[in-house]
Amino acid sequence: MTVSFDGSPAALAALADADAARALAEDVGAGDLTASLVDPVRRAQARVLAREAAVICGAPWVEATLRQVDPSLQATWLVAEGQRCAADQVVLEVTGPARSLLTAERTMLNFLQLLSAVATATAT
């Protein structure tokens, strides 16, 4: 049996949404106890910094994770999907409610790290 994936933006978004939902169910489950300790009205900004040179990959998964945790979280990409970044370069900034940002952080970073590592190895 051959399985194919059409690669369209809609199919990619659906895949990212499903993956993010599964990952959040596993990582967060019924709630994030650590994030619940943060004042619910506090806002925060996070910067994702590349530790080494890489090809950035995973934006649809990061965006799906943020959207599912809290649609008010705003991502600003400083390095586009498929582009190279240098060591110590800021790749992404996320702003929004601190609780939501903390809840999304681990899942979002897992996707970004794994997919960027594969893209970097592939490019090499």
Side-chain angles (χ1 to χ4, degrees):
M1 170 194 258
T2 302
V3 177
S4 64
F5 181 74
D6 70 17
S8 70
L12 189 62
L15 179 63
D17 283 341
D19 289 343
R22 280 191 301 274
L24 286 167
E26 180 180 324
D27 290 349
V28 179
D32 186 343
L33 294 175
T34 303
S36 70
L37 299 173
V38 176
D39 182 349
V41 297
R42 184 175 182 129
R43 295 190 54 81
Q45 178 182 27
R47 289 182 164 171
V48 177
L49 185 74
R51 291 185 184 168
E52 57 189 56
V55 175
I56 296 304
C57 182
W61 284 264
V62 169
E63 298 282 349
T65 300
L66 295 174
R67 187 173 50 254
Q68 289 180 35
V69 169
D70 184 340
S72 74
L73 289 170
Q74 295 295 312
T76 303
W77 290 92
L78 303 175
V79 178
E81 180 85 352
Q83 298 297 308
R84 292 187 176 273
C85 69
D88 300 321
Q89 183 175 358
V90 177
V91 172
L92 168 68
E93 292 179 346
V94 182
T95 58
R99 277 187 177 186
S100 299
L101 204 149
L102 289 170
T103 299
E105 174 189 23
R106 178 55 30 215
T107 302
M108 174 189 78
L109 289 175
N110 284 345
F111 282 126
L112 189 59
Q113 289 172 331
L114 173 65
L115 295 170
S116 293
V118 171
T120 302
T122 301
T124 300

